[in-house]
Amino acid sequence: MIRSQSYMYMSGLRYGGHRKIGNRYFMEADTVKQEQRTVLRERFLRMCAAITGQSANICMQEKTNVQCILGHIDIDVQHVQVKDLLTPMGKIPHAVLRLNDVISIQIPDLKHKEY
């Protein structure tokens, strides 16, 4: 007998960790969750790579709006490197923004890159 919380029905997967019972394949729930996390992490990393070099409008705490060209995001997703940061006080050639201070990032002309 199969407990429904321990196994999930899967069709057409070629990953390890599955079990065939009758003519159906079942994958352990932990393996399914790990596969889902892997897919989400890959999508997130592709998104981070795609926004690098894009022009952005950033809304920050204290009602501050800035414009910049996005750079790389650090591994802990706490800081983003930017260049040509246009602030109300002037232009800064290179800067690092704390993402805790960022409310939203708008990329008006997102250009698709193939990775």
Side-chain angles (χ1 to χ4, degrees):
M1 178 176 226
I2 299 174
R3 296 180 306 196
S4 60
Q5 62 267 39
S6 297
Y7 297 95
M8 292 182 71
Y9 174 71
M10 303 302 288
S11 61
L13 290 178
R14 297 180 182 171
Y15 301 107
H18 60 275
R19 187 179 283 190
K20 183 175 182 180
I21 299 175
N23 61 352
R24 293 185 180 207
Y25 287 89
F26 292 85
M27 184 173 277
E28 294 184 27
D30 291 340
T31 305
V32 171
K33 287 180 183 178
Q34 182 178 359
E35 291 295 328
Q36 291 170 343
R37 283 192 302 268
T38 301
V39 169
L40 291 174
R41 179 71 177 168
E42 180 181 356
R43 286 182 184 174
F44 174 74
L45 293 174
R46 287 181 187 271
M47 183 272 308
C48 289
I51 65 171
T52 301
Q54 302 287 331
S55 176
N57 300 322
I58 300 178
C59 180
M60 302 183 71
Q61 297 289 340
E62 303 295 326
K63 299 180 183 177
T64 304
N65 292 313
V66 297
Q67 297 175 351
C68 63
I69 297 175
L70 294 172
H72 297 285
I73 298 174
D74 74 342
I75 195 165
D76 297 325
V77 192
Q78 293 186 7
H79 299 91
V80 61
Q81 180 268 331
V82 298
K83 65 180 182 179
D84 300 331
L85 180 65
L86 185 60
T87 70
M89 294 177 55
K91 187 174 181 179
I92 302 171
H94 299 283
V96 175
L97 300 178
R98 293 186 320 173
L99 289 175
N100 286 343
D101 296 334
V102 172
I103 296 171
S104 67
I105 300 175
Q106 181 184 12
I107 303 172
D109 299 322
L110 182 62
K111 297 167 188 75
H112 180 69
K113 297 179 185 177
E114 285 294 324
Y115 289 96

